[in-house]
Amino acid sequence: MGWGHSPKFYAYRTADVWQSIGVTGDRLSFTDDETVTKLGMGYIANQGYECAMDAAVRFTLLNAGENATLSAKQMLNQHTRLAALIEENIMADGWYRKEDDSPTRGWVVATDFRELWQNAMCSEWDLNKTHFPASCIATAEEIAKDGYSRYYWNRATAGSRWNRPIIAWKGNLLTTVPLKGNERTLTNHLEDKVVLRAINKSLNRMVKSEKAVQVTAGRGRTFRWDAWGWLDGIRNQRLVTMAKQRKLGDIVNGWKFTKGRVTTTYGVEVCEHAWEPVEGFNWYRVLIGGWAGSLTLNSFFFDKSEAQAYIETLPELPNGGHAMRKEDGVAHKMIYTVDCCTAGFILKPELMVEELPTPIEMFKRTQLGPAEYYQKVRQEYSTQHGRSRMAQRITNY
């Protein structure tokens, strides 16, 4: 049927939709830690499309607190009760009539609590549509006037493609009320056993797909949120970031303390921190072009004019041989060129830069000093990101 690797169902909506109607909360009640709140709520908000009960269960497990375990019965709350109404097809993304009698889209239930839709596989495009059309809430006057003889006027749009349920009849019209303003009444409509059945189905799905962790088995089995390890890891990085003794902008011996590479996860900024040169500087190398590639001479300069002057002292290059680069049979003339490069160092934040050379002196040593010193700066002094920024050693000494 071509649904791809991530099939969608009419029951799916995004996290912001579930939060807007109360299936999930907008904050965590167990903590005042802004980092935990941002990470936890960010994680909830980035789950993509999912059904209401999965969203409610995940939020309930997270909101229970760090490494807390809950049984299905302990998950009975306003979030899972609302989600159960959707799981039972009683609440729908549909239509109701405002005071001026105009059809208005919203999350609704029928006044007689009839089922308003059926779940089935669908395309992502269908998830932007309502579970039933506005024609389903037609009044007797509208039906008498227009006839409403169309086949689909009283059928849900969510359901099996060839057998979508009839939810309104001319002799039993559909009247709906919105969830908004009726939350308390609707939350308590279903019996606990019905809600628990929906919670357990969700838990089975989430454990199977590794979205929740089952801690104990048997009667009263318990579960916990699956991502506490991930959250703790980022939170600890954040604490290390905030605990650095150096201050951003500190300048020591030509080095400046910076944020370094920054990773932002759900609004939480974690800085690698680093020492970088206060002022960047360029250096120049001499290349020989014209062969299949280019060759770099074992020389470098901090002044472009000096590099150019050095070229004038070099012998004239031959312009023949099989190694010449050719285009359309014409050989490229071999020439000396000056290449401008930027020296880059990103050193680990824990280093005592007071005891290290200045950036320009360190560059000279990495290029002219022993190869062991170059490797020491690269492997021991530089951050992982800094290793890719270091200039390659061009001298053979």
Side-chain angles (χ1 to χ4, degrees):
M1 200 168 179
W3 299 108
H5 296 291
S6 299
K8 302 294 187 295
F9 294 85
Y10 287 109
Y12 285 5
R13 292 294 187 272
T14 56
D16 58 332
V17 171
W18 296 140
Q19 187 180 99
S20 70
I21 65 173
V23 168
T24 61
D26 57 3
R27 62 185 181 278
L28 300 178
S29 60
F30 77 92
T31 182
D32 294 325
D33 188 325
E34 183 180 357
T35 298
V36 173
T37 298
K38 282 185 176 181
L39 290 173
M41 295 306 297
Y43 186 94
I44 294 290
N46 281 269
Q47 294 306 305
Y49 290 104
E50 64 180 347
C51 68
M53 188 56 79
D54 286 5
V57 166
R58 181 183 284 107
F59 176 78
T60 298
L61 289 171
L62 168 61
N63 199 40
E66 188 167 359
N67 294 321
T69 60
L70 297 177
S71 65
K73 194 169 185 178
Q74 291 172 315
M75 296 183 203
L76 286 169
N77 56 37
Q78 73 272 26
H79 305 297
T80 53
R81 292 181 188 279
L82 275 179
L85 286 171
I86 300 172
E87 296 291 309
E88 295 295 314
N89 308 124
I90 294 172
M91 185 185 297
D93 180 357
W95 301 86
Y96 67 96
R97 291 184 178 275
K98 297 176 69 175
E99 293 180 358
D100 62 1
D101 211 33
S102 60
T104 304
R105 183 174 178 173
W107 285 86
V108 301
V109 298
T111 52
D112 58 1
F113 293 101
R114 71 182 70 171
E115 290 188 13
L116 298 176
W117 60 289
Q118 288 181 358
N119 199 17
M121 193 176 291
C122 66
S123 70
E124 188 170 323
W125 180 74
D126 289 317
L127 300 181
N128 295 317
K129 300 191 297 186
T130 57
H131 289 140
F132 63 84
S135 59
C136 287
I137 60 169
T139 63
E141 291 78 11
E142 290 172 335
I143 292 174
K145 180 179 179 181
D146 297 330
Y148 275 75
S149 58
R150 299 187 308 275
Y151 177 72
Y152 282 112
W153 79 267
N154 60 349
R155 291 178 179 269
T157 51
S160 172
R161 183 175 183 181
W162 305 113
N163 189 27
R164 289 173 179 170
I166 297 173
I167 61 173
W169 298 263
K170 292 181 179 180
N172 187 10
L173 297 176
L174 173 63
T175 305
T176 58
V177 294
L179 168 64
K180 189 175 182 179
N182 297 292
E183 292 89 349
R184 180 172 296 183
T185 300
L186 297 178
T187 297
N188 296 312
H189 172 70
L190 293 177
E191 296 181 7
D192 285 356
K193 64 180 181 181
V194 178
V195 181
L196 285 171
R197 182 175 64 229
I199 291 174
N200 278 303
K201 286 183 179 179
S202 172
L203 288 168
N204 291 338
R205 287 194 301 268
M206 294 178 73
V207 169
K208 186 176 181 179
S209 60
E210 299 182 348
K211 295 178 180 178
V213 177
Q214 183 171 335
V215 180
T216 61
R219 189 176 182 85
R221 59 184 183 154
T222 57
F223 304 83
R224 65 176 173 83
W225 188 44
D226 68 322
W228 280 114
W230 164 83
L231 190 150
D232 282 340
I234 296 180
R235 180 172 58 179
N236 291 336
Q237 292 178 36
R238 171 72 172 175
L239 291 174
V240 170
T241 291
M242 302 303 292
K244 294 294 183 184
Q245 293 182 353
R246 304 280 191 175
K247 294 181 180 179
L248 287 177
D250 280 356
I251 296 177
V252 180
N253 198 26
W255 299 95
K256 184 177 182 179
F257 195 68
T258 69
K259 287 185 176 183
R261 187 163 56 175
V262 178
T263 302
T264 302
T265 304
Y266 304 142
V268 176
E269 188 179 86
V270 177
C271 304
E272 186 178 76
H273 284 124
W275 289 104
E276 300 183 46
V278 174
E279 296 181 357
F281 57 92
N282 294 331
W283 60 282
Y284 302 87
R285 61 183 179 177
V286 176
L287 306 179
I288 300 177
W291 281 325
S294 60
L295 297 178
T296 303
L297 298 186
N298 285 345
S299 57
F300 68 91
F301 306 86
F302 292 112
D303 186 276
K304 185 176 182 179
S305 61
E306 292 180 1
Q308 193 64 49
Y310 174 69
I311 287 178
E312 294 174 1
T313 68
L314 296 173
E316 185 177 351
L317 291 167
N319 288 309
H322 295 292
M324 298 290 291
R325 182 161 61 90
K326 298 181 179 180
E327 290 183 6
D328 298 327
V330 179
H332 281 247
K333 185 178 180 180
M334 293 173 59
I335 58 173
Y336 295 110
T337 58
V338 175
D339 185 34
C340 178
C341 306
T342 300
F345 288 107
I346 305 176
L347 304 186
K348 295 177 180 178
E350 63 268 22
L351 292 176
M352 299 296 292
V353 292
E354 297 90 338
E355 302 173 2
L356 296 178
T358 62
I360 196 166
E361 190 62 35
M362 179 175 285
F363 177 78
K364 291 179 180 179
R365 292 190 189 183
T366 58
Q367 295 298 325
L368 298 177
E372 292 78 11
Y373 183 77
Y374 175 86
Q375 290 301 326
K376 185 179 184 69
V377 172
R378 181 178 174 83
Q379 300 299 330
E380 298 181 24
Y381 293 173
S382 299
T383 65
Q384 184 176 1
H385 182 48
R387 290 169 196 154
S388 64
R389 293 283 301 276
M390 272 189 69
Q392 291 292 323
R393 181 178 167 86
I394 63 173
T395 179
N396 291 328
Y397 299 104

